[in-house]
Amino acid sequence: MKIKKIDLLYSDPVEDGWRPSFCRIYTDTGLYGDGEVALSYGAVSHAAFAEMHDLAPLLIGMNPLEHEVIWEKLYRQSFFGLNAGPVIFGAISAFDIALWDIKGKYYHAPLHELLGGEQQRRVRAYASQLQMG
């Protein structure tokens, strides 16, 4: 299986300047995965989308099930990778989320099973966006 195409979407601004960026990675088998960069406020959202745009071509032709190989390539072979900060790590994480989506579909398994199995029956939730009301 190989990555054949990546679509990037820079959404229209939503309330309070929130503007998320998304990716969809397509494979030659018809599977695809979706990811999002978490840097969605202010000027950093522009930078995160631009970084995704720069990194996407590096993924074409790679095996989407080889997360570590892809991480190493994006980290070591991109211009800003070795001087990494939140923008490049945000872009890489968006692709990584999409790759896990593909892996879950490929193995017909939920992500928690692929990551080692259920550890707790209940998880405490917290509010991380209190500034949004």
Side-chain angles (χ1 to χ4, degrees), residues 18-100:
W18 184 59
R19 190 172 187 185
S21 299
F22 303 97
C23 67
R24 178 169 280 176
I25 298 176
Y26 298 90
T27 69
D28 59 355
T29 65
L31 289 177
Y32 65 87
D34 297 323
E36 176 195 3
V37 74
L39 304 169
S40 301
Y41 293 97
V44 74
S45 68
H46 303 296
F49 183 75
E51 192 62 47
M52 289 171 65
H53 190 273
D54 286 349
L55 294 176
L58 296 173
L59 296 169
I60 302 300
M62 297 189 76
N63 181 343
L65 303 178
E66 296 180 342
H67 291 246
E68 294 300 323
V69 172
I70 291 171
W71 256 93
E72 284 294 313
K73 181 174 186 175
L74 295 178
Y75 181 68
R76 297 190 183 281
Q77 293 182 14
S78 62
F79 184 75
F80 291 109
L82 292 175
N83 295 312
V87 172
I88 193 162
F89 282 138
I92 292 172
S93 71
F95 293 130
D96 195 52
I97 291 166
L99 295 172
W100 279 109

